[in-house]
Amino acid sequence: MTKSVATVTDVTFAREVLDAGLPVLVEFTAAWCPPCKMIEPVLDELAREEAGRMSIVKLDVDANPQTTADYAVLSMPTLMLFRDGIPVRTVVGARSKRRLLDDLAGAL
């Protein structure tokens, strides 16, 4: 089975992200967001390639207002890397795979 981007919710966020053993990259996304759709293939590819090093999940901001508010997410997509339950890097906007890896390199 190929690893892909899982979906988290307000209910599952703590278990899937904050309590995870590996770093977790969370995409705060929305169905109406064109840049979010643009970055989906990049995140799918990274989820497969980085399966042993980090997990990648997405959270729909419209359906999960509590987590969105908890992390003061205002723009989509916002990509937030969590390590040991703490957000260690935040990147806003769609980007290429290479640029995203460069942006996350020091935090992984």
Side-chain angles (χ1 to χ4, degrees), residues 26-108:
V26 179
E27 178 199 15
F28 290 86
T29 187
W32 46 263
C33 165
C36 299
K37 293 188 187 330
M38 287 173 46
I39 199 168
E40 279 181 15
V42 171
L43 296 177
D44 287 338
E45 193 174 323
L46 280 178
R48 288 189 301 275
E49 292 176 1
E50 302 289 334
R53 202 164 86 136
M54 74 172 166
S55 297
I56 300 177
V57 299
K58 63 183 173 182
L59 180 127
D60 183 309
V61 298
D62 293 325
N64 300 283
Q66 185 60 57
T67 304
T68 303
D70 288 349
Y71 294 97
V73 173
L74 301 174
S75 299
M76 273 53 73
T78 292
L79 303 166
M80 201 172 288
L81 182 67
F82 288 79
R83 191 172 56 225
D84 300 322
I86 299 165
V88 294
R89 185 69 45 91
T90 301
V91 176
V92 178
R95 58 223 329 107
S96 68
K97 179 177 143 187
R98 172 62 27 223
R99 183 164 168 221
L100 180 57
L101 284 171
D102 289 347
D103 290 340
L104 299 175
L108 276 173

Side-chain angles (χ1 to χ4, degrees), residues 18-29:
L18 304 181
D19 297 338
L22 290 173
V24 180
L25 181 65
V26 179
E27 178 199 15
F28 290 86
T29 187

